[in-house]
Amino acid sequence: MSSLTFEELTDFTFKSYRKLLRYLTSTYQVIPFCEVSKVKDTPYLILRHDVDQTFLRALKMAQIERDLGVRSTYFVLFSSRWYNLLEGNNVSILRKISNLGHEIGLHYDTAQYRYYT
């Protein structure tokens, strides 16, 4: 696999993301958090995403990862100014991401939650 150029690494498109994933999987075993204990004597990379703004982009990334045989972890916030975690469509999207083989986790932001106390 050829190396990536600086321009490709700063071009935040789905096409560049595919290329980045291909490069990473040629070098590392790419895994979600839940599989760390299963890795034995091989270079690995934990792939995780903080879903801070949009579930639709997260779903697109999850589909790209699935197409390339990659599993990752998607961390979501209980409270966000951009989405309501429990809203029907968001729950549906999270189920789709999970059904693609990815892990869903809670992104706990201590700065955000201190306002609730």
Side-chain angles (χ1 to χ4, degrees), residues 13-78:
T13 64
F14 292 126
K15 180 180 177 182
S16 291
Y17 186 57
R18 281 183 192 277
K19 188 165 185 178
L20 174 64
L21 287 175
R22 285 186 189 107
Y23 174 76
L24 292 173
T25 56
S26 73
T27 307
Y28 302 100
Q29 179 181 356
V30 180
I31 61 171
F33 267 101
C34 64
E35 293 185 2
V36 170
S37 64
K38 298 177 185 177
V39 178
K40 306 287 186 218
D41 302 323
T42 182
Y44 69 93
L45 179 137
I46 300 169
L47 184 58
R48 61 172 301 235
H49 308 280
D50 293 343
V51 183
D52 292 333
Q53 295 184 1
T54 172
F55 282 23
L56 290 175
R57 288 227 173 140
L59 177 59
K60 177 67 176 169
M61 292 176 75
Q63 291 166 331
I64 289 169
E65 291 166 358
R66 172 64 182 245
D67 291 346
L68 297 174
V70 172
R71 294 181 58 231
S72 66
T73 304
Y74 286 81
F75 285 99
V76 297
L77 294 162
F78 270 130

